[in-house]
Amino acid sequence: MSDIQQLPFSQSCENNKQAILPQLQSLFSTTKRVLEVGSGTGQHAVYFAKHLPQLIWLPSDQVQYIEPLSLRIELEGSNNIAQPIALEVTQPWSLDPNAVDAIFSANTLHIMSETMVEAFFDGVKQHLERNGLLCIYGPFNYNNQYTSDSNRQFDIWLKHRNVNSGIREFEWVRELAHSASLNLLSDIDMPANNRLLSFKKT
């Protein structure tokens, strides 16, 4: 078995990366440095970096995921992807330099606790440059309603696994973003009952 075959693998990343890419190509057309929060297996990082050669992609995740993430980047990464950094959203973010002009995160807010989501937006407020972009991919509820039965089932599964997890309310996320000096630019319908939210820092 090859090194790549032994790495952690996310089928959802494989399923959604091609749908997300055109949106990022448009949103990040003038972006220079993207921080990805919660890079996980690294499949998104290596794919998006390869198709967005005009920018530097900076992966990050909790410390226990850094070793396999680094290996995937070593085996599959392009020359515009940086070495991943350990990042706990509730701790100071160790970025050098301290600001980036875009932040991307996929399928993370429903894994985090509410306290972690709040800390995530605090970190975005601190490290995202003025006029920078925040893009968040994943499922959201609207007006306290699920957008599909599959999302309802997914939310039940999340809460069964961890009572602090769960699909987040769009209105709450928008309020957190507003408190972090972020204005909603777009809310894009994506496959499999997901959304891509984009915000601009003022």
Side-chain angles (χ1 to χ4, degrees):
M1 184 179 292
S2 70
D3 289 339
I4 289 178
Q5 290 174 318
Q6 296 181 57
L7 289 174
F9 178 84
S10 167
Q11 187 59 52
S12 64
C13 283
E14 289 302 300
N15 293 346
N16 62 40
K17 66 184 185 182
Q18 292 184 354
I20 296 172
L21 177 62
Q23 305 299 334
L24 297 189
Q25 286 174 321
S26 175
L27 289 163
F28 293 164
S29 60
T30 61
T31 295
K32 296 178 181 177
R33 192 164 185 258
V34 177
L35 169 68
E36 181 184 13
V37 176
S39 297
T41 64
Q43 290 162 252
H44 275 169
V46 297
Y47 182 78
F48 295 146
K50 192 173 296 183
H51 289 84
L52 297 165
Q54 80 279 4
L55 55 76
I56 299 297
W57 194 275
L58 176 58
S60 73
D61 213 312
Q62 295 172 316
V63 66
Q64 64 265 33
Y65 302 114
I66 294 298
E67 184 176 350
L69 177 56
S70 296
L71 182 55
R72 182 175 296 278
I73 290 167
E74 178 184 340
L75 294 173
E76 297 186 326
S78 49
N79 60 9
N80 64 323
I81 186 168
Q83 286 299 307
I85 61 170
L87 190 152
E88 295 277 354
V89 293
T90 57
Q91 302 296 322
W93 296 14
S94 55
L95 296 184
D96 184 24
N98 289 326
V100 292
D101 58 349
I103 295 175
F104 171 78
S105 197
N107 291 324
T108 54
L109 298 195
H110 57 266
I111 303 299
M112 299 179 187
S113 67
E114 289 189 358
T115 299
M116 293 174 72
V117 175
E118 291 167 349
F120 168 79
F121 278 97
D122 286 341
V124 171
K125 181 178 182 179
Q126 181 178 354
H127 294 286
L128 184 62
E129 293 178 354
R130 186 181 180 188
N131 296 319
L133 298 177
L134 170 66
C135 294
I136 304 172
Y137 174 88
F140 295 92
N141 293 335
Y142 292 79
N143 298 313
N144 295 311
Q145 298 292 324
Y146 296 109
T147 60
S148 68
D149 186 63
S150 62
N151 277 5
R152 182 180 66 83
Q153 295 290 343
F154 181 50
D155 194 48
I156 292 171
W157 178 84
L158 286 167
K159 288 182 168 65
H160 180 74
R161 191 183 67 163
N162 183 338
V163 68
N164 295 314
S165 297
I167 295 177
R168 303 303 169 198
E169 300 294 327
F170 166 79
E171 292 80 10
W172 178 62
V173 170
R174 185 174 57 186
E175 286 179 9
L176 292 176
H178 182 73
S179 297
S181 302
L182 296 159
N183 292 327
L184 183 69
L185 283 181
S186 60
D187 177 2
I188 302 169
D189 186 21
M190 301 294 287
N193 303 302
N194 288 299
R195 315 292 298 188
L196 183 67
L197 310 181
S198 69
F199 302 87
K200 187 173 184 178
K201 178 86 173 289
T202 58

